[in-house]
Amino acid sequence: MSRIFSGIQPSGELHIGNYLGAVKNWIKLQHEFESIFCIVDYHAITVQYDPAHLRARRREMAISLLAAGIDPARATLFVQSQVPEHTELTWIFNTITPLGELERQTQFKEKSQRQESVAAGLLTYPVLQAADILLYRADKVPVGEDQIQHLELTRVVARRWNSQFGRLTGRKAEDGSEAREEFFPEPQPLLTPTRRIMGLDGQAKMSKSMGNTIGLLESSESIWTKLRPAVTDPKRIRKTDPGTPEVCNIYHLHKAFSPPETVEHVAVQCRTAGWGCIDCKKSLHESMERELAPIRGRAEALQAAPERLDEVLAAGAAHCRKLAKETMREVRDRMGFEPNVSPG
Ligand code: SF4
């Protein structure tokens, strides 16, 4: 069975943008692949942060993921910093990754422009991502369009390491040289059928930094308070003005949460001015409640039993540590290091 790996930052409770854009897909994929999902807390420290917040947000993220439907009986969920081999392999990959390749990464260029002083960790962030994936020799990585460039770097790192340190196979490569084993697979992208979920302001992608989100675990009342004033088709000024559902974020949220017949009904009612935007939002609110109320219920149960969460994360880390140690034993051997003698 193919193995997939995917990571998510410990940004606290999920919002419906990252639930619909990534996590809902993970829940489906866990039935099709051997799945490893990681809360990437080492990635979260490339910017200023508060250690107490990091601790709390890591747990909130874990609760959100489990409540959303990541099933520990089918998938492994763990915290990156509990498997130290991630940083060991990152160092190794740092030594074979040219600086120019890292400086060309679009995300680095964008993020570094906004900072006065740029930490080296921001530059080598994609190398840590490569280590995250290759440590488990994952074949496939669920990614959105914006992550393709980083995954390509992972593939290049795998190829470069294999060509330098893979064992000779005794066969000839296409170019006539001695072929080496492909110890690290070059992971393939599993392009997520992403919906770009816009924020309630209808202006920008839903994100916590923009303050335009709906939390996955928010109460029904709080969701309604946010939906009610949310931006719709700006040309629908009066209830009698026909609208264009395709330009309206509420319609796109219906497509994510409502059954097809409701979506069809929304489009017709909007185009014919058959109802007002508040009616439309009430219908969306009902659809969201159907999906989100059980998630909230599961999250409350987890919050009430913190030891259950600890158990799941400890089991996930133990499983991943075992896989990581196996990989690093082979890597150390091929690179001329002595075996790691640390216990555990
Ligand atoms: S009726 Fe619904 S889809 Fe049409 S503009 Fe209003 S909120 Fe948007």
Side-chain angles (χ1 to χ4, degrees):
M1 188 189 256
S2 289
R3 180 180 285 168
I4 62 168
F5 177 96
S6 203
I8 192 162
Q9 289 246 6
S11 54
E13 178 191 322
L14 281 172
H15 58 71
I16 61 166
N18 35 41
Y19 168 67
L20 297 171
V23 174
K24 216 171 157 177
N25 191 41
W26 292 5
I27 293 160
K28 183 168 133 302
L29 293 175
Q30 69 184 343
H31 297 277
E32 299 165 28
F33 298 99
E34 182 194 342
S35 303
I36 300 178
F37 300 123
C38 179
I39 299 176
V40 291
D41 51 355
Y42 278 143
H43 285 277
I45 62 169
T46 53
V47 290
Q48 291 277 327
Y49 76 101
D50 175 337
H53 284 170
L54 179 68
R55 217 167 267 130
R57 286 179 183 161
R58 197 167 44 219
R59 289 187 78 81
E60 285 166 20
M61 177 53 75
I63 287 173
S64 285
L65 291 171
L66 293 169
I70 298 296
D71 177 359
R74 291 188 177 277
T76 302
L77 176 67
F78 80 108
V79 173
Q80 184 185 32
S81 61
Q82 293 197 302
V83 182
E85 284 80 2
H86 283 257
T87 47
E88 184 182 0
L89 190 57
T90 301
W91 174 252
I92 286 170
F93 288 161
N94 270 335
T95 65
I96 59 165
T97 306
L99 196 55
E101 275 177 29
L102 296 175
E103 287 170 340
R104 275 197 297 277
Q105 297 292 311
T106 310
Q107 284 195 8
F108 171 71
K109 286 198 263 184
E110 282 173 7
K111 287 187 180 169
S112 58
Q113 271 170 6
R114 287 186 244 136
Q115 295 186 24
E116 258 177 42
S117 163
V118 179
L122 195 62
L123 181 72
T124 56
Y125 188 107
V127 184
L128 178 55
Q129 272 186 334
D132 294 340
I133 297 163
L134 296 178
L135 191 54
Y136 303 103
R137 301 168 78 188
D139 317 282
K140 294 188 169 57
V141 181
V143 283
E145 298 273 358
D146 55 346
Q147 286 293 316
I148 291 270
Q149 195 186 25
H150 281 181
L151 185 61
E152 188 48 40
L153 187 90
T154 297
R155 291 163 53 79
V156 170
V157 167
R159 207 174 306 145
R160 193 172 285 134
W161 190 93
N162 290 339
S163 73
Q164 286 185 36
F165 301 109
R167 284 197 180 125
L168 292 170
T169 60
R171 295 190 303 274
K172 290 281 179 207
E174 277 179 14
D175 63 2
S177 64
E178 291 284 328
R180 290 184 181 269
E181 65 175 345
E182 293 189 5
F183 177 76
F184 287 118
E186 290 181 32
Q188 300 296 320
L190 208 57
L191 207 57
T192 308
T194 32
R195 304 159 186 275
R196 192 176 149 83
I197 302 298
M198 301 296 282
L200 296 175
D201 51 9
Q203 302 296 313
K205 189 175 160 185
M206 186 174 281
S207 88
K208 281 191 181 158
S209 60
M210 299 298 289
N212 60 6
T213 60
I214 293 179
L216 187 68
L217 309 179
E218 265 189 67
S219 69
S220 172
E221 299 73 30
S222 172
I223 292 176
W224 178 244
T225 305
K226 288 183 173 180
L227 278 183
R228 211 182 151 89
V231 170
T232 62
D233 175 359
K235 293 201 172 131
R236 263 208 101 184
I237 297 161
R238 287 175 297 270
K239 198 172 172 178
T240 49
D241 295 331
T244 308
E246 290 76 14
V247 303
C248 176
N249 195 29
I250 298 297
Y251 176 65
H252 292 293
L253 287 172
H254 265 294
K255 287 207 278 189
F257 285 105
S258 299
E261 55 280 11
T262 305
V263 175
E264 181 57 33
H265 181 67
V266 169
V268 170
Q269 292 292 88
C270 180
R271 285 198 183 93
T272 58
W275 65 5
C277 291
I278 288 292
D279 303 312
C280 186
K281 289 172 175 176
K282 278 184 187 155
S283 161
L284 171 63
H285 187 228
E286 281 168 21
S287 297
M288 288 177 74
E289 268 307 285
R290 266 195 298 280
E291 185 157 338
L292 300 184
I295 294 177
R296 275 200 303 271
R298 288 195 290 270
E300 279 162 20
L302 281 163
Q303 278 149 354
E307 67 288 354
R308 170 75 189 126
L309 182 66
D310 294 337
E311 271 170 29
V312 169
L313 294 178
H319 176 64
C320 286
R321 224 174 285 139
K322 187 164 166 286
L323 298 176
K325 277 186 190 304
E326 282 166 18
T327 301
M328 289 312 298
R329 192 177 52 240
E330 301 291 334
V331 167
R332 288 176 148 265
D333 179 54
R334 283 161 177 75
M335 294 185 75
F337 294 113
E338 298 299 325
N340 188 343
V341 290
S342 67

